[in-house]
Amino acid sequence: MVLSGLLSHVGYTRLRGNARCEVTGITCDSREVKPGDLFVCLAGCKQDGHRFAKEALRRGASAVVMEEGNRETEQLERQFSRPEGRRKEGTLVLVASTRRAFSPLAAAFYGYPLRSMTSVAVTGTKGKTTTAYMLRGILEEAGHQTGLIGTNGAFIGERKLPLSHTTPEAHELQRILREMRDSGCSHVVMEVSSQGIKMERVAELHFTCGIFTNLSPDHIGPGEHENFEDYLYQKSRLFLNCDTGIINRDDKWAKDVTARASCRLVTYGLSEGDFHGADLARYKNGRMLGCEYRLVRAGGEWDSGREGTSPEETIFLPLPGEYNIRNSLAAIAAADRLGVPAEQAAKALGKVRVPGRMEVVSGSNHLWVIVDYAHNEDSMEHLLKTLKSYEPRRLICVFGCGGNRSKLRRTGMGRAAGHLADISVVTEDNSRYEKLSDILSSIEAGIKESGGSYVTIPDRREAIGYAIRHGKVGDIIAIIGKGHEEYQETEGRRLPFSDREEAERALLMYQ
């Protein structure tokens, strides 16, 4: 592709060099640069890509895109002003904002793949992954080949592609969307994080539907959002770029999130909304915790229903909790807008499984072991309250808290566990570059504040083994914080580790 063709999709202020040079790839990581690539300099929390522009050119980049006013940009532009520099160094493109330029450049390079697919974006503090899995299951039940992008990775059929972020950088995202389209996907469901919106990774995407699950304070701190207002604002931007918004009317922030929405709004809720539930019931046996409800469509007419279709359908979920009922209602409402009848949605939801989200680990018929990704106070509180509603003999909670993240989470999670769990087992969870002892002390302070019972076992494998070894008939053991993750991150190293595998191993040994 010729550089000038790409630049026709983005405003730029100046160009030094050859606008007719060939571009054979696009990236924002200088370590990935191959000859012929377009390198876009992005300023991140830890590194500024402008510092690596010369390195990208040395690696053979055909052109670099830099931001005006940056010190590195000014130095390189002076070098490009010399004829010999222009011949040797390739092409320099100057823009007002490389962040805002990157998404349209990536979309144009990969041929705007999302324009040929039906798309759903899911945003919110909790429930994004579960809702996305539910909707993907419904769409595939209806015969639509559907790609999935989110916290657990990107999925094209049975093939999994690892991701660095829930919502990948623009070039990675557009490449995956192009691969999905070329593989025959007609639909795509993706989680859209507040950071993904703030960093303009989805700036060039317009979605058929956008789903809002809920909002609570999270991701506030250095390198994330400066305050809750910014967090809410970034979430709200999704509903400027979709045709229909599927909104949780039970959430107190729903009106604020949709205050500027330019799309049609459809609501769902536990007992009110365009889609809501009735006759909620819990389901529990030796292998499963689940729930059942009667689905009601306000007005009694289904947008996609065939003539004579009932406005009510019984939904069984092999997942516990009212919040999973809400997640399923969001998925059903979106599926309805995409033409999938309620009976097909019910069939798909009856067999849904979400790795690391309220996932029941197989083992004893009388001891339930749950693996979940809850990693802040609010999500932990919801999870533990849900599990207590199933009336276990005891509720045992194994958890830690990630390092180099908001320190408010630690005492908050300790408080929640202290109030709701009968026994807490405090352990490590991706301490990253922080001292594990400091993290554990903060968690312990929260538990002590609530007067809860706890034991601290720093090694996570030993902590899981301890909880299961001491588990009794009728107990529920919740192992939370890592969920689907298959690694433990400490001092810059990622070592293989799976909560599910460790729980299964301990169940074989001790139960």
Side-chain angles (χ1 to χ4, degrees):
M1 182 174 290
V2 177
L3 177 62
S4 59
L6 280 178
L7 295 179
S8 66
H9 299 271
V10 62
Y12 65 95
T13 55
R14 289 193 301 287
L15 184 144
R16 305 291 190 188
N18 179 17
R20 300 294 301 170
C21 65
E22 283 290 329
V23 174
T24 55
I26 182 169
T27 185
C28 62
D29 188 336
S30 62
R31 297 166 298 182
E32 297 176 350
V33 170
K34 298 179 181 63
D37 281 355
L38 174 65
F39 176 66
V40 182
C41 302
L42 300 183
C45 302
K46 297 179 180 178
Q47 296 283 5
D48 185 348
H50 291 79
R51 293 177 51 212
F52 303 99
K54 291 179 181 178
E55 173 64 22
L57 290 167
R58 281 194 292 270
R59 285 175 172 265
S62 60
V64 294
V65 179
M66 303 183 77
E67 211 163 273
E68 282 205 282
N70 185 284
R71 190 172 171 183
E72 302 286 342
T73 304
E74 292 170 356
Q75 290 178 357
L76 195 58
E77 187 174 18
R78 282 196 293 271
Q79 184 175 340
F80 266 76
S81 66
R82 299 193 298 269
E84 67 277 9
R86 188 164 62 243
R87 284 196 302 272
K88 288 170 61 178
E89 300 287 354
T91 301
L92 171 65
V93 181
L94 278 72
V95 297
S97 167
T98 50
R99 275 275 170 208
R100 285 195 290 271
F102 192 29
S103 187
L105 284 170
F109 181 81
Y110 285 104
Y112 297 97
L114 197 68
R115 293 181 182 179
S116 2
M117 294 188 284
T118 298
S119 57
V120 180
V122 187
T123 199
T125 304
K126 301 181 298 293
K128 294 189 296 296
T129 300
T130 299
T131 302
Y133 267 80
M134 287 176 170
L135 181 54
R136 184 200 189 201
I138 293 170
L139 293 171
E140 292 195 331
E141 183 70 35
H144 302 298
Q145 188 171 335
T146 305
L148 178 67
I149 300 172
T151 307
N152 287 6
F155 296 85
I156 306 173
E158 296 301 315
R159 188 158 58 94
K160 178 182 177 180
L161 306 174
L163 299 178
S164 53
H165 303 286
T166 294
T167 308
E169 279 292 1
H171 68 303
E172 184 182 8
L173 177 57
Q174 294 291 345
R175 176 181 56 76
I176 290 168
L177 289 171
R178 174 61 182 265
E179 195 168 343
M180 286 178 173
R181 188 190 73 181
D182 292 349
S183 297
C185 291
S186 58
H187 292 63
V188 61
V189 181
M190 65 178 289
E191 299 176 48
V192 175
S193 66
S194 56
Q195 282 293 96
I197 298 171
K198 183 174 183 174
M199 298 298 184
E200 307 291 350
R201 295 171 190 160
V202 295
E204 197 59 27
L205 303 182
H206 186 86
F207 299 97
T208 313
C209 289
I211 295 175
F212 168 68
T213 60
N214 50 66
L215 196 69
S216 58
D218 198 15
H219 301 290
I220 297 168
E224 296 186 278
H225 299 281
E226 54 269 30
N227 50 45
F228 180 74
E229 288 71 25
D230 180 59
Y231 183 51
L232 186 153
Y233 168 71
Q234 299 301 338
K235 294 288 189 189
S236 73
R237 290 177 62 195
L238 176 65
F239 301 99
L240 299 172
N241 289 301
C242 57
D243 297 327
T244 301
I246 311 294
I247 308 300
N248 175 11
R249 68 171 292 163
D250 292 344
D251 191 84
K252 68 177 182 178
W253 298 106
K255 288 185 179 179
D256 298 88
V257 167
T258 57
R260 302 185 308 126
S262 58
C263 59
R264 173 187 175 180
L265 299 180
V266 174
T267 62
Y268 67 92
L270 211 57
S271 58
E272 294 183 335
D274 297 319
F275 294 80
H276 60 271
D279 303 331
L280 279 59
R282 296 182 186 87
Y283 182 85
K284 176 181 179 182
N285 65 20
R287 297 281 181 174
M288 184 185 298
L289 300 175
C291 51
E292 187 177 79
Y293 67 96
R294 182 166 50 86
L295 172 65
V296 181
R297 170 71 154 92
E301 294 181 0
W302 296 91
D303 287 352
S304 61
R306 298 183 300 273
E307 187 176 349
T309 296
S310 168
E312 298 184 1
E313 191 79 30
T314 298
I315 306 295
F316 169 75
L317 283 178
L319 293 170
E322 291 183 351
Y323 56 86
N324 278 320
I325 293 176
R326 288 192 182 91
N327 292 337
S328 68
L329 287 165
I332 291 167
D336 181 70
R337 293 296 303 152
L338 302 182
V340 180
E343 58 266 31
Q344 284 189 323
K347 186 177 179 182
L349 290 170
K351 53 190 177 184
V352 70
R353 174 185 167 272
V354 187
R357 302 305 193 276
M358 272 293 194
E359 184 177 9
V360 178
V361 178
S362 60
S364 166
N365 279 329
H366 304 291
L367 177 70
W368 292 271
V369 180
I370 307 291
V371 171
D372 193 85
Y373 190 56
H375 56 280
N376 62 30
E377 181 178 5
D378 190 58
S379 56
M380 175 184 256
E381 188 173 309
H382 276 78
L383 176 130
L384 295 180
K385 283 182 177 178
T386 292
L387 295 178
K388 283 185 80 72
S389 73
Y390 283 81
E391 300 180 347
R393 177 179 174 272
R394 295 180 305 171
L395 178 56
I396 301 170
C397 183
V398 181
F399 74 103
C401 198
N404 302 110
R405 298 292 186 269
S406 170
K407 295 184 178 181
L408 295 175
R409 288 185 188 177
R410 302 168 190 179
T411 50
M413 290 178 73
R415 252 192 323 268
H419 280 305
L420 295 166
D422 295 293
I423 303 170
S424 295
V425 183
V426 180
T427 188
E428 67 177 319
D429 178 355
N430 295 339
S431 54
R432 299 185 176 90
Y433 292 97
E434 281 200 66
K435 284 179 63 176
L436 177 58
S437 58
D438 292 344
I439 299 171
L440 298 179
S441 294
S442 297
I443 296 171
E444 289 168 352
I447 299 178
K448 289 173 183 175
E449 183 183 319
S450 66
S453 175
Y454 75 97
V455 59
T456 299
I457 303 175
D459 185 279
R460 194 172 181 93
R461 180 175 287 110
E462 291 180 12
I464 292 170
Y466 174 90
I468 291 175
R469 186 168 71 250
H470 288 85
K472 305 296 183 185
V473 173
D475 289 349
I476 292 179
I477 299 173
I479 305 170
I480 73 168
K482 295 182 66 60
H484 64 284
E485 291 178 353
E486 296 179 347
Y487 61 85
Q488 180 74 5
E489 188 174 351
T490 308
E491 295 179 354
R493 295 179 302 152
R494 283 193 171 189
L495 302 175
F497 191 94
S498 163
D499 279 354
R500 179 187 176 88
E501 289 177 6
E502 293 301 327
E504 288 174 338
R505 184 179 294 116
L507 283 164
L508 288 173
M509 290 177 63
Y510 303 123
Q511 292 295 319

